[in-house]
Amino acid sequence: RRMRTTSAAATRLRPDTFYHGTSIEAALAIQDHGFDMALSGSNAGALLGPGVYCTTTLKKAMHYVEGKEAGGIIFELRADLGRCKTLTSGDPMMKTWQQHGFDS
């Protein structure tokens, strides 16, 4: 049996804590039913295609709840990013990266 190991340095380079800011109404729906990919981008756009948009910084998540009733809700999430693709401005895979086997 082979065991996969990850160095401490590699683990630190890959975040696993993320934040998702949303309205109270959307937060209740997420709590009841989970994230709905059909609604992806319905609030703040979908620059990189369908998905759950999160950030590693609480401050950026707070931007997405500004102006929301009662300040909105910020979820703190733990996630395994899976196979990652780094995109740059104008990358031809900007909206198709998921079709090429990438998870995030």
Side-chain angles (χ1 to χ4, degrees), residues 26-72:
L28 292 171
I30 292 167
Q31 183 178 353
D32 288 345
H33 308 288
F35 286 97
D36 184 347
M37 291 303 118
L39 298 174
S40 177
S42 62
N43 180 44
L47 177 66
L48 302 174
V52 175
Y53 284 73
C54 301
T55 178
T56 56
T57 61
L58 181 58
K59 185 175 181 178
K60 186 168 184 176
M62 291 174 74
H63 168 76
Y64 289 94
V65 300
E66 288 175 358
K68 304 268 191 252
E69 179 184 338

Side-chain angles (χ1 to χ4, degrees), residues 73-86:
I73 298 289
I74 296 176
F75 284 101
E76 181 178 294
L77 310 167
R78 300 261 191 256
D80 178 350
L81 298 176
R83 186 169 176 233
C84 297
K85 169 69 176 160
T86 300

